[in-house]
Amino acid sequence: MSIPPVLAEAVSPRNRAAKSEKQQQIAPSNVLETIEQHVLLDGFKIVVDLDKSRGSYLHNAVDDGRLIDLYGFFGSMPVGFNHPHFDEPQVRRDLLRAAKVKIANSDIYSVGYSEFVATFERVVGLPPLERYLFIEGGALAVENCLKAAMDWKVRKNMAAGHGERGTQVLHFRHAFHGRSGYTMSLTNTDPRKTDLFAKFDWPRVSCPCIDLSLPESKREADVIEREEKAEREIRDFISQREIDICAIIIEPIQGEGGDNHFRGEWLQKLRQICDENDILLIFDEVQCGMGATGRNWCCEHFDVVPDLLAFGKKAQVCGVMAGPRIDEVKDNAFRLPSRLNSTWGHGALHTLFAHHRGGTSCGKRRKSRRIFFGSTARVAT
Ligand SMILES: Cc1ncc(COP(=O)(O)O)c(C=O)c1O
């Protein structure tokens, strides 16, 4: 079949060749100024050489120097640079195929996608959170948790004759959940990230994290006192706003807010409060999940399972895992079409995940953890 002329004529081979030659001419020393002509340049002033970078070493193309990568792209690197696994011909073929066309995974199904879903469940599945939604971006993963929780609570309220209420999300001081529309009402770290944008007046309570600056002998009493205070604040909000609160969201370890750790007892307390008050519990594990703490999910250390868990970063795809409480509402957002969706759902990089075919969960088989969670496992162990 010949290509319609209108497509064939759009860019002549000559122009294309000239353009690609020009693109190749950008020397590492000119990279920053080229980008800066059109894009705000507020990142690191280095130029990564993706061919020469190896393992935990990032190669800076500007000075030909090697840096130990303690940054890992905002904590999103699943393995070190250039793992030999990616040299295998079959892996290369699959990655190229996935990169060529960015298909709408939520609308057109493929073998690659089904392998990814099956692998995800086998490697990092967290029963009973069996419903999945995949999306591009951690903030959108959180945002879809919020939408699912709102939908769940409002439908319950309507069924009980209370009208269309139930969209407020209780959250914590120093939380970071992203910079999208809804998540900006939760994020409260650096005001530059949220100031002047429209936000909701959702309940915010103090953050009873362990104060590691205290001597060990004083830490527990201190944190228990602050947990009790935060619990009072939560219960006050619940008694004031009642059925308007649909969810409590927390990062099991706060990341951007200051590497703030909680006691398992606190997360279990939140579980109890949510169960008592018909509220969903959301864990944002975009940063702390996916093997970063030595287990697949941070909450596995504490024996608490949320109703909705948001993930991203090291997974290379972002999304939500939802548990059985969501099915208390028959027409919930994970069952009705068109409630939670986006064009790509998630990008081609799910293939990275699907390549972890041979392993099991990261806690069970050290070998597989080394392959898939290489960089984080080194930090965590
Ligand atoms: C805990 C947490 N939630 C959500 C996000 C937002 O993820 P993204 O930047 O992919 O939108 C981040 C990003 O740092 C995060 O640390």
Short mmCIF file of all heavy atoms in Angstrom, two decimals, residues 74 137-140 142 176-179 251 253 255-256 284-288 313 318, ligand 1:
data_model
loop_
_atom_site.label_atom_id
_atom_site.label_comp_id
_atom_site.label_asym_id
_atom_site.label_seq_id
_atom_site.Cartn_x
_atom_site.Cartn_y
_atom_site.Cartn_z
N PHE A 74 14.93 12.03 41.41
CA PHE A 74 13.85 12.21 42.40
C PHE A 74 13.42 10.86 42.99
O PHE A 74 12.24 10.62 43.24
CB PHE A 74 12.60 12.86 41.78
CG PHE A 74 12.72 14.33 41.47
CD1 PHE A 74 12.53 14.77 40.17
CD2 PHE A 74 12.97 15.26 42.46
CE1 PHE A 74 12.59 16.13 39.86
CE2 PHE A 74 13.04 16.62 42.15
CZ PHE A 74 12.86 17.04 40.86
N GLY A 137 2.27 9.47 35.95
CA GLY A 137 2.55 10.53 36.93
C GLY A 137 2.04 10.19 38.32
O GLY A 137 0.93 9.68 38.48
N GLY A 138 2.88 10.46 39.31
CA GLY A 138 2.54 10.15 40.70
C GLY A 138 1.40 11.01 41.21
O GLY A 138 0.52 10.53 41.94
N ALA A 139 1.40 12.30 40.83
CA ALA A 139 0.33 13.17 41.29
C ALA A 139 -1.01 12.67 40.76
O ALA A 139 -2.02 12.67 41.47
CB ALA A 139 0.57 14.61 40.83
N LEU A 140 -1.00 12.21 39.52
CA LEU A 140 -2.25 11.69 38.94
C LEU A 140 -2.66 10.38 39.59
O LEU A 140 -3.86 10.07 39.67
CB LEU A 140 -2.13 11.53 37.43
CG LEU A 140 -2.14 12.85 36.66
CD1 LEU A 140 -2.07 12.59 35.17
CD2 LEU A 140 -3.38 13.67 36.98
N VAL A 142 -2.20 9.74 42.79
CA VAL A 142 -2.85 10.20 44.03
C VAL A 142 -4.23 10.80 43.69
O VAL A 142 -5.23 10.52 44.35
CB VAL A 142 -1.97 11.25 44.75
CG1 VAL A 142 -2.71 11.82 45.96
CG2 VAL A 142 -0.65 10.62 45.19
N PHE A 176 3.59 15.78 51.09
CA PHE A 176 3.76 16.09 49.67
C PHE A 176 3.05 15.00 48.87
O PHE A 176 3.42 13.83 48.93
CB PHE A 176 5.24 16.15 49.26
CG PHE A 176 5.42 16.58 47.83
CD1 PHE A 176 5.51 17.93 47.49
CD2 PHE A 176 5.44 15.65 46.80
CE1 PHE A 176 5.63 18.33 46.16
CE2 PHE A 176 5.57 16.04 45.47
CZ PHE A 176 5.66 17.39 45.15
N HIS A 177 2.04 15.41 48.12
CA HIS A 177 1.31 14.43 47.32
C HIS A 177 1.29 14.80 45.84
O HIS A 177 0.58 14.16 45.06
CB HIS A 177 -0.12 14.28 47.84
CG HIS A 177 -0.19 13.71 49.24
ND1 HIS A 177 0.17 12.42 49.52
CD2 HIS A 177 -0.55 14.27 50.43
CE1 HIS A 177 0.02 12.18 50.83
NE2 HIS A 177 -0.40 13.30 51.40
N GLY A 178 2.03 15.85 45.46
CA GLY A 178 2.09 16.22 44.06
C GLY A 178 1.61 17.63 43.83
O GLY A 178 1.27 18.36 44.78
N ARG A 179 1.61 18.03 42.56
CA ARG A 179 1.31 19.43 42.22
C ARG A 179 0.20 19.53 41.18
O ARG A 179 0.16 20.44 40.37
CB ARG A 179 2.54 20.10 41.64
CG ARG A 179 3.75 19.96 42.50
CD ARG A 179 4.94 20.57 41.81
NE ARG A 179 6.13 19.81 42.09
CZ ARG A 179 7.35 20.29 42.06
NH1 ARG A 179 7.53 21.55 41.74
NH2 ARG A 179 8.38 19.54 42.32
N GLU A 251 1.54 9.60 53.61
CA GLU A 251 2.71 8.88 53.10
C GLU A 251 3.23 8.06 54.29
O GLU A 251 3.57 8.66 55.32
CB GLU A 251 3.82 9.85 52.68
CG GLU A 251 3.48 10.84 51.59
CD GLU A 251 4.26 12.14 51.75
OE1 GLU A 251 5.41 12.21 51.29
OE2 GLU A 251 3.72 13.09 52.35
N ILE A 253 6.02 6.97 54.89
CA ILE A 253 7.20 7.76 55.28
C ILE A 253 7.11 9.05 54.46
O ILE A 253 7.06 8.99 53.23
CB ILE A 253 8.53 7.06 54.93
CG1 ILE A 253 8.66 5.74 55.69
CG2 ILE A 253 9.71 7.98 55.26
CD1 ILE A 253 9.89 4.92 55.29
N GLY A 255 8.35 11.99 52.42
CA GLY A 255 9.59 12.18 51.69
C GLY A 255 10.01 13.63 51.67
O GLY A 255 10.81 14.08 52.50
N GLU A 256 9.43 14.38 50.76
CA GLU A 256 9.82 15.78 50.61
C GLU A 256 9.63 16.58 51.90
O GLU A 256 10.36 17.52 52.18
CB GLU A 256 9.02 16.41 49.47
CG GLU A 256 8.99 17.90 49.55
CD GLU A 256 8.90 18.62 48.25
OE1 GLU A 256 9.39 18.11 47.24
OE2 GLU A 256 8.32 19.72 48.27
N ASP A 284 0.01 6.95 50.25
CA ASP A 284 0.75 7.44 49.10
C ASP A 284 2.16 6.85 49.17
O ASP A 284 3.01 7.32 49.93
CB ASP A 284 0.79 8.97 49.12
CG ASP A 284 1.61 9.55 47.97
OD1 ASP A 284 2.29 8.77 47.27
OD2 ASP A 284 1.60 10.78 47.79
N GLU A 285 2.40 5.81 48.38
CA GLU A 285 3.71 5.15 48.37
C GLU A 285 4.46 5.47 47.08
O GLU A 285 5.29 4.69 46.61
CB GLU A 285 3.55 3.64 48.59
CG GLU A 285 2.99 3.29 49.95
CD GLU A 285 3.71 2.11 50.62
OE1 GLU A 285 4.78 1.69 50.13
OE2 GLU A 285 3.19 1.63 51.64
N VAL A 286 4.14 6.62 46.50
CA VAL A 286 4.84 7.02 45.27
C VAL A 286 6.34 7.09 45.52
O VAL A 286 7.15 6.64 44.70
CB VAL A 286 4.30 8.38 44.76
CG1 VAL A 286 5.17 8.95 43.66
CG2 VAL A 286 2.86 8.23 44.26
N GLN A 287 6.71 7.61 46.68
CA GLN A 287 8.13 7.77 46.99
C GLN A 287 8.68 6.58 47.80
O GLN A 287 9.75 6.07 47.52
CB GLN A 287 8.32 9.06 47.80
CG GLN A 287 9.72 9.34 48.30
CD GLN A 287 10.52 10.18 47.33
OE1 GLN A 287 11.42 9.68 46.68
NE2 GLN A 287 10.18 11.45 47.24
N CYS A 288 7.94 6.14 48.80
CA CYS A 288 8.52 5.15 49.73
C CYS A 288 8.23 3.71 49.30
O CYS A 288 8.76 2.78 49.91
CB CYS A 288 8.02 5.40 51.16
SG CYS A 288 6.25 5.18 51.37
N LYS A 313 7.03 6.50 40.44
CA LYS A 313 8.50 6.58 40.44
C LYS A 313 9.20 5.26 40.06
O LYS A 313 9.26 4.92 38.91
CB LYS A 313 8.97 7.08 41.80
CG LYS A 313 8.58 8.55 42.03
CD LYS A 313 9.33 9.16 43.16
CE LYS A 313 8.79 10.51 43.56
NZ LYS A 313 9.45 11.62 42.92
N CYS A 318 2.83 4.71 36.96
CA CYS A 318 2.20 5.13 38.20
C CYS A 318 0.80 4.54 38.23
O CYS A 318 0.28 4.09 37.21
CB CYS A 318 2.12 6.66 38.25
SG CYS A 318 3.75 7.41 38.07
C1 LIG B 1 4.90 11.00 48.05
C2 LIG B 1 4.75 11.58 46.68
N1 LIG B 1 3.53 11.61 46.11
C3 LIG B 1 3.34 12.10 44.89
C4 LIG B 1 4.39 12.62 44.15
C5 LIG B 1 4.14 13.18 42.78
O1 LIG B 1 4.71 12.39 41.80
P1 LIG B 1 5.00 12.99 40.35
O2 LIG B 1 6.11 13.99 40.50
O3 LIG B 1 5.38 11.79 39.52
O4 LIG B 1 3.72 13.63 39.88
C6 LIG B 1 5.67 12.62 44.70
C7 LIG B 1 6.80 13.16 43.94
O5 LIG B 1 7.87 13.42 44.43
C8 LIG B 1 5.86 12.09 46.00
O6 LIG B 1 7.06 12.06 46.57
#
